[in-house]
Amino acid sequence: MTTSPGAAQSKRVSVVLPVYNTGGCLRELYQRLKTTLESAGYDFELLMVEDGGRDNAWEILNELAARDTRIKAMQLSRNFGQHPAIAAAFENVTGDIVILMDADLQDRPEDIPLLLAKLSKDIHIVFSIKQGSQESFSTRLTSRLYHYVFSKLTRTTVPRDIGTFRAFSREFLDAVMAYPERNILFGPLMFHVGFQAETVTVAHDERKNGKSGYSFSKRLKLALDSILSYTDLPHRLLLNA
Ligand code: UDP
Ligand code: MG
């Protein structure tokens, strides 16, 4: 059962965006989010967390936040990474429904209603599957390999080409935030926490400006942290030693 549009629109939507060197597309990102959410009739807030980048994103965020009080701009004291930036925003969410997406316009703001339409009283999380993913061949290969290994080790089925872009209920967020993890990785944790899920296939656009915030070593660290923290591989290796 899907929630009727009327019921959904009476809910407040919190959009969470970690920002790292994406100053060049923040004005367009804001405009497109505003147009989409306003025309769908949602009350919303945009939680934008600047993760210690080297560009002018923080100035632009402040300029936007001065014009629109629905923007909550936060800044981390240095570059902590995508997941700590997301955690900082999650701690400040006031909405009933949360959207998590990237801030480089690879996830399209116009697709938010597609994700929201699939949330219901039974479905607490809607994951996006990236169609025509614009990642480089090596990034796609490492991410598919990671998902394959992760699915095998955790005995869960992680869909191929799953994106960061997702919508979930306040109850789901509360369950995720109840974990005492210090080094949270939201990808694995959001699979681990349970609840009924749905998926929706969305387009994945090219990066609007700049280059990926992930170097190969950052990506490798993420994959290793996920496997070490969220699978039983380390225990199995120790027991076999
Ligand atoms: N990001 C971040 N801190 C980082 C790296 C990335 O907050 O150290 C954010 C970035 O602004 C974007 C999201 O995480 O909103 C995904 O990063 P990116 O788009 O660079 O990754 P890719 O699309 O290349 O996998
Ligand atoms: Mg990106």
Side-chain angles (χ1 to χ4, degrees):
M1 192 197 83
T2 50
T3 311
S4 70
Q9 262 99 330
S10 66
K11 295 192 170 171
R12 182 171 158 77
V13 176
S14 300
V15 187
V16 167
L17 303 130
V19 172
Y20 180 64
N21 294 338
T22 63
C25 66
L26 286 182
R27 289 192 182 89
E28 179 181 342
L29 176 67
Y30 164 67
Q31 271 309 326
R32 288 171 60 183
L33 283 165
K34 177 172 139 67
T35 305
T36 304
L37 291 162
E38 280 179 354
S39 51
Y42 287 103
D43 174 25
F44 67 90
E45 63 178 353
L46 308 178
L47 297 111
M48 301 171 114
V49 182
E50 202 284 314
D51 181 27
R54 293 173 305 274
D55 69 350
N56 59 347
W58 182 235
E59 281 79 54
I60 296 172
L61 270 188
N62 278 306
E63 176 201 309
L64 293 170
R67 292 208 323 252
D68 189 335
T69 54
R70 293 170 295 186
I71 297 180
K72 286 187 184 167
M74 288 162 260
Q75 187 180 41
L76 303 188
S77 54
R78 63 165 169 84
N79 177 225
F80 279 88
Q82 179 181 10
H83 294 265
I86 292 171
F90 279 176
E91 279 164 16
N92 289 285
V93 156
T94 65
D96 316 289
I97 296 175
V98 186
I99 299 282
L100 171 62
M101 65 195 292
D102 288 352
D104 58 356
L105 282 174
Q106 288 197 268
D107 299 325
R108 295 182 182 179
E110 295 74 21
D111 289 334
I112 290 177
L114 293 178
L115 273 75
L116 292 180
K118 286 209 170 183
L119 279 180
S120 68
K121 75 172 179 39
D122 301 318
I123 306 296
H124 280 268
I125 173 136
V126 179
F127 293 102
S128 71
I129 307 293
K130 297 183 278 189
Q131 192 181 43
S133 181
Q134 297 294 329
E135 318 290 9
S136 69
F137 178 73
S138 67
T139 301
R140 262 203 335 263
L141 191 72
T142 47
S143 105
R144 284 201 182 165
L145 191 68
Y146 162 65
H147 281 125
Y148 176 78
V149 174
F150 191 78
S151 299
K152 287 280 174 215
L153 291 171
T154 58
R155 296 171 199 90
T156 52
T157 315
V158 179
R160 240 169 55 163
D161 289 332
I162 190 161
T164 308
F165 196 14
R166 55 196 61 182
F168 43 92
S169 65
R170 177 82 223 187
E171 288 114 294
F172 185 90
L173 176 66
D174 290 343
V176 167
M177 294 305 275
Y179 275 77
E181 313 284 323
R182 300 300 272 149
N183 188 13
I184 301 184
L185 295 174
F186 289 103
L189 189 51
M190 286 187 174
F191 263 92
H192 183 76
V193 77
F195 289 88
Q196 226 171 302
E198 267 281 0
T199 57
V200 64
T201 301
V202 296
H204 193 235
D205 283 345
E206 257 173 79
R207 234 188 123 76
K208 281 276 169 183
N209 68 301
K211 56 181 175 59
S212 173
Y214 276 96
S215 57
F216 180 72
S217 60
K218 260 186 176 176
R219 239 179 255 287
L220 191 67
K221 182 179 182 311
L222 192 68
L224 285 177
D225 281 352
S226 304
I227 289 170
L228 291 176
S229 306
Y230 293 92
T231 75
D232 58 5
L233 184 66
H235 301 99
R236 284 206 246 158
L237 288 177
L238 276 176
L239 288 173
N240 289 337

